């Protein structure tokens, strides 16, 4: 039995079979049907998202013997030649291997000649940004006065490297990376037609690994089919990809958060026994933490795309409600460092274990257990799946977060390791904003990056007639744009529970009411000084100084 790889066998042959890229399809279809097709298209996008496929269908649409339309017949000789990659008037060039001007000249010399078989010549120049300057000049001449029988399709992963003169003569489309449901849905439909059994979760894992590229997804699917001897199961896919299952990931996050070192290292042991790739595991852990952070701060953004994602989302949502945002930020930071340092570790597993241990040792600092309040009507935590045991112990040990720490009120721009200061005013229904509590109040506002900058660099002047006046130093005046002001105004209105107006005037920031930024600078100066004092007073340093005539390089002292 001859076996045709899936990517070739299932390459879309008509526009209606193309997955995603609807905005590009619409332009091409309308152009073809109204016979008003632009002569040069630029497709920007990563690999495997359909550039060559679109070029082939376009070549077919223009050259079908039944006439130009967006629905070529697929049966005439021209259509069949295009489908089998033998059509002489579809000229595919990989600019990455053809950067010399001579090659481009030779190519463009032929542009003038009429097509040999069809109505139109279609040039597909892949990685067009790799052409040399002189090649671009030669190309530009052709683009300025294109022969009527020529269509250009340029593809690039890096449109910014193209000269603006070329860009301005092309109709540009950004081909999007395909999302997980688009890819897994397509894989499912192929497998059904191929009569191959599969688990949906397995396809989602393949789609995730393909990172937006349908071609990569299909080639992974090929491998998964032969790996699983004819069926595609989640277990096989994990084994094949060396990846960790969502369940294992959630167990890991739960173990870390429960301070259960034994469970965390046991997970690591299990992953090692299964031959998982620890760098990939850290990547997956980073993605999970990022999704938890998103769920905490912008819950509307993280919507489940499909039934497959929903189960995993539910578990993440539960974790996101239990784990303080600061902890997630800290774990993320440590995981990122762990990934960076992994190549330097004695072996990947010990590097991974060390990262877990670091997460366990730093974590307690972010949970202020002495202050936690047990909510009177704490709802029982929903049980996700029997495998996550830590759920229970976590619910018992940490209980509900304090009201002011609740997810809804967390600021979206917290520093990675920083912990939002304890607000001075809690639980009162109305807050009297003044210069004393301005920093505390702004610190806990939920703000976007720009409004956060404004809030951090503005000082409080007065609150009169529901109008808050702020001052901002001239060098930061650009931060006070309309958008930032209206965001900050909305956040303050929410915080104060009545509508306020915000006025930001340029001027010296008040001495009596420092800005958060100056306060932080003060703080960091202070801790720097403390660090210097600590070093200079350290007996070990003193011993080194006297024994080796050593000197302390002050600039290298960093506060812990
Ligand atoms: Zn045809």
């Amino acid at each position: 039995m001859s076996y045709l790889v899936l990517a070739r066998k299932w390459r879309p042959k008509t526009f209606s079979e193309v997955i995603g890229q609807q905005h590009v399809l619409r332009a091409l279809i309308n152009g073809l049907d109204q016979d008003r097709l632009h002569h040069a298209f630029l497709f920007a996008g990563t690999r495997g998202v359909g550039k060559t496929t679109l070029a082939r269908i376009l070549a077919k649409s223009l050259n079908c013997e039944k006439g130009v339309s967006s629905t070529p017949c697929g049966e005439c000789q021209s259509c069949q030649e295009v489908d089998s990659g033998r059509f002489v008037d579809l000229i595919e060039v990989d600019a990455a291997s053809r950067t010399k001007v001579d090659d481009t000249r030779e190519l463009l010399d032929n542009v003038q000649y009429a097509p040999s078989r069809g109505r139109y010549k279609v040039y597909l120049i892949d990685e067009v940004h790799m052409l040399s300057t002189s090649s671009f000049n030669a190309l530009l001449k052709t683009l300025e006065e294109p022969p009527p029988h020529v269509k250009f399709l340029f593809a690039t992963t890096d449109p910014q490297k193209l000269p603006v003169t070329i860009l301005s003569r092309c109709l540009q489309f950004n081909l999007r990376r395909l999302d997980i449901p688009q890819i897994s849905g397509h894989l499912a439909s192929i497998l059904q037609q191929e009569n191959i059994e599969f688990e949906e979760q397995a396809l989602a894992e393949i789609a995730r690994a393909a990172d937006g590229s349908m071609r990569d997804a299909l080639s992974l699917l090929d491998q998964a089919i032969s790996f699983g001897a004819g069926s595609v199961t989640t277990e096989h896919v994990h084994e094949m990809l060396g990846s960790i299952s969502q369940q294992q990931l959630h167990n890991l996050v739960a173990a870390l958060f429960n301070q259960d070192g034994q469970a965390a290292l046991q997970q690591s042991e299990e992953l090692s026994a299964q031959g998982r790739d620890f760098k990939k595991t850290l990547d997956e852990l980073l993605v999970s933490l990022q999704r938890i952070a998103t769920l905490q701060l912008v819950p509307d953004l993280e919507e489940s795309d499909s039934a497959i994602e929903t189960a995993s989302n539910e578990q993440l949502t539960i974790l996101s409600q239990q784990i303080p945002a600061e902890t997630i930020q800290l774990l993320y930071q440590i995981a990122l460092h762990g990934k960076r340092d992994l190549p330097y570790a004695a072996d990947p597993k010990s590097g991974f274990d060390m990262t877990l241990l670091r997460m366990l040792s730093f974590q307690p600092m972010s949970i202020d257990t002495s202050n936690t309040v047990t909510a009177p009507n704490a709802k029982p935590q929903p049980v996700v799946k029997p495998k996550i045991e830590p759920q229970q112990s976590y619910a018992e040990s940490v209980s509900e977060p304090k009201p002011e720490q609740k997810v809804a009120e967390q600021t979206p721009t917290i520093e990675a390791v920083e912990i939002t200061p304890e607000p001075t005013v809690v639980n009162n229904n109305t807050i009297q904003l003044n210069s004393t509590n301005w920093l505390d109040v702004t610190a806990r506002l939920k703000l976007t990056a720009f409004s956060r900058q404004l809030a951090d660099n503005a000082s409080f002047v007065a609150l009169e007639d529901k109008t808050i006046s702020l001052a901002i130093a001239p060098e930061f005046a650009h931060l006070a744009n309309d958008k930032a002001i209206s965001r900050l105004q909305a956040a303050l209105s929410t915080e104060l529970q009545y509508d306020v107006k915000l006025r930001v005037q340029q001027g010296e920031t008040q001495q009596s009411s420092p800005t958060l930024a100056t306060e932080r600078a003060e703080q960091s100066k202070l801790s720097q000084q403390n660090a210097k004092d600590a070093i200079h007073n350290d007996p070990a340093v003193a011993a080194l100084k006297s024994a080796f005539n050593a000197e302390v390089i002050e600039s290298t002292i960093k506060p812990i």
Side-chain angles (χ1 to χ4, degrees):
M1 184 184 84
S2 77
Y3 181 72
L4 195 56
V5 291
L6 293 173
R8 277 182 58 201
K9 182 170 175 189
W10 293 94
R11 182 195 277 275
K13 293 195 167 67
T14 62
F15 286 123
S16 63
E17 287 171 11
V18 175
I19 308 291
Q21 321 301 358
Q22 293 306 316
H23 57 305
V24 184
L25 294 181
R26 212 173 305 125
L28 292 177
I29 290 172
N30 288 344
L32 281 163
D33 289 343
Q34 295 160 15
D35 206 9
R36 291 166 62 94
L37 204 63
H38 202 269
H39 65 274
F41 292 86
L42 174 67
F43 294 149
T46 59
R47 49 198 291 274
V49 291
K51 292 172 298 223
T52 316
T53 298
L54 286 174
R56 287 200 176 176
I57 303 174
L58 183 66
K60 213 158 52 169
S61 302
L62 288 167
N63 289 305
C64 175
E65 288 161 21
K66 305 253 164 80
V68 175
S69 80
S70 64
T71 49
C73 76
E75 281 162 7
C76 68
Q77 202 181 339
S78 295
C79 283
Q80 291 201 343
E81 282 183 12
V82 174
D83 281 341
S84 57
R86 291 182 287 118
F87 191 65
V88 286
D89 291 319
L90 171 60
I91 301 114
E92 293 184 28
V93 184
D94 182 4
S97 61
R98 228 179 201 268
T99 48
K100 290 200 300 282
V101 69
D102 292 347
D103 288 350
T104 320
R105 284 256 165 78
E106 181 194 318
L107 186 78
L108 295 173
D109 281 348
N110 289 326
V111 165
Q112 301 305 327
Y113 301 117
S116 32
R117 264 199 53 71
R119 292 181 201 88
Y120 289 93
K121 279 187 181 178
V122 178
Y123 284 85
L124 170 65
I125 305 186
D126 206 2
E127 297 301 346
V128 64
H129 65 271
M130 302 284 281
L131 290 178
S132 64
T133 312
S134 41
S135 298
F136 275 128
N137 288 338
L139 183 59
L140 189 59
K141 287 215 181 72
T142 313
L143 284 180
E144 277 168 343
E145 285 174 57
H149 58 263
V150 169
K151 301 288 177 200
F152 282 103
L153 294 184
F154 302 126
T156 179
T157 46
D158 201 350
Q160 293 183 338
K161 288 201 181 133
L162 285 173
V164 69
T165 44
I166 300 277
L167 279 176
S168 65
R169 287 177 171 78
C170 299
L171 207 51
Q172 184 178 339
F173 291 105
N174 295 317
L175 292 191
R176 298 186 184 127
R177 297 163 70 252
L178 297 161
D179 61 27
I180 292 173
Q182 280 174 326
I183 295 179
S184 60
H186 188 53
L187 301 186
S189 106
I190 289 178
L191 290 177
Q192 274 155 4
Q193 295 172 72
E194 293 273 343
N195 247 327
I196 294 173
E197 281 181 32
F198 63 91
E199 289 172 12
E200 283 201 10
Q201 183 64 40
L203 302 190
E205 300 289 344
I206 291 179
R208 204 190 310 277
D211 195 26
S213 160
M214 188 65 88
R215 185 173 44 208
D216 288 358
L218 288 170
S219 107
L220 286 173
L221 187 60
D222 273 325
Q223 293 175 39
I225 293 170
S226 50
F227 195 90
S231 71
V232 182
T233 66
T234 313
E235 185 49 39
H236 282 146
V237 168
H238 282 306
E239 238 170 275
M240 182 185 91
L241 296 173
S243 61
I244 174 174
S245 74
Q246 293 299 303
Q247 187 62 56
Q248 282 174 309
L249 261 183
H250 300 159
N251 291 349
L252 195 56
V253 175
L256 288 172
F257 191 61
N258 284 332
Q259 287 285 291
D260 189 341
Q262 200 181 348
L265 290 183
Q266 214 170 337
Q267 289 288 332
S268 161
E269 204 62 52
E270 205 178 290
L271 292 169
S272 173
Q274 292 168 342
R276 303 299 191 234
D277 178 330
F278 283 108
K279 182 176 163 290
K280 271 191 196 156
T281 303
L282 282 174
D283 276 336
E284 297 275 348
L285 189 58
L286 284 165
V287 171
S288 287
L289 293 169
Q290 176 263 324
R291 288 177 62 196
I292 293 174
T294 309
L295 281 166
Q296 287 177 330
L297 300 168
V298 205
D300 298 344
L301 252 189
E302 179 81 14
E303 273 176 0
S304 63
D305 299 316
S306 70
I308 310 162
E309 293 277 286
T310 311
S312 148
N313 262 9
E314 268 171 29
Q315 299 193 23
L316 287 182
T317 307
I318 291 166
L319 289 170
S320 76
Q321 287 159 354
Q322 296 176 339
I323 309 179
E326 295 87 358
T327 305
I328 292 293
Q329 298 289 336
L330 182 60
L331 294 181
Y332 187 91
Q333 205 63 29
I334 296 176
L336 207 57
H337 282 139
K339 185 182 148 189
R340 190 195 58 193
D341 295 344
L342 205 59
Y344 304 109
D347 59 89
K349 181 173 184 299
S350 67
F352 182 74
D353 283 354
M354 200 58 206
T355 306
L356 295 183
L357 293 172
R358 197 175 298 159
M359 288 172 165
L360 289 166
S361 18
F362 281 108
Q363 201 184 342
M365 296 169 68
S366 61
I367 309 168
D368 192 356
T369 37
S370 61
N371 271 338
T372 48
V373 180
T374 311
N377 299 320
K379 282 179 281 168
Q381 293 298 338
V383 177
V384 196
K385 280 207 177 149
K387 258 174 133 184
I388 289 203
E389 290 154 357
Q391 294 289 358
Q392 281 260 302
S393 55
Y394 175 64
E396 282 159 17
S397 64
V398 180
S399 74
E400 286 264 331
K402 285 165 286 174
E404 70 275 14
Q405 278 194 342
K406 271 192 180 161
V407 169
E409 291 183 23
Q410 253 138 14
T411 57
T413 49
I414 17 170
E415 306 285 337
V417 185
E418 204 173 59
I419 296 153
T420 317
E422 203 58 16
T424 47
V425 186
V426 199
N427 288 341
N428 285 356
N429 282 337
T430 51
I431 297 162
Q432 284 301 318
L433 189 64
N434 52 46
S435 55
T436 322
N437 66 9
W438 165 245
L439 296 185
D440 291 336
V441 172
T442 49
R444 63 171 186 266
L445 292 178
K446 193 178 165 184
L447 293 173
T448 56
F450 290 115
S451 50
R452 168 54 61 199
Q453 290 249 303
L454 173 61
D456 288 359
N457 288 287
S459 73
F460 180 86
V461 178
L463 166 57
E464 285 162 355
D465 286 342
K466 296 186 178 176
T467 298
I468 300 173
S469 305
L470 303 178
I472 191 155
E475 66 265 33
F476 294 120
H478 63 278
L479 297 174
N481 56 52
D482 290 347
K483 212 167 182 181
I485 291 176
S486 84
R487 284 278 193 165
L488 183 55
Q489 178 174 296
L492 283 165
S493 297
T494 310
E495 182 67 23
L496 302 180
Q497 296 176 25
Y498 58 87
D499 284 339
V500 290
K501 259 196 76 70
L502 199 58
R503 276 183 38 217
V504 183
Q505 62 213 27
Q506 232 190 86
E508 282 314 302
T509 43
Q510 313 261 309
Q511 200 59 41
S512 58
S513 169
T515 69
L516 210 54
T518 53
E519 175 121 312
R520 279 188 191 138
E522 258 332 289
Q523 279 280 340
S524 108
K525 220 162 103 188
L526 194 67
S527 45
Q528 181 67 28
Q529 192 50 52
N530 287 343
K532 280 184 186 168
D533 292 349
I535 290 287
H536 287 300
N537 297 334
D538 190 304
V541 174
L544 282 172
K545 274 182 175 168
S546 67
F548 299 107
N549 205 12
E551 267 181 57
V552 174
I553 303 170
E554 293 238 340
S555 62
T556 60
I557 302 176
K558 297 254 153 54
I560 300 166

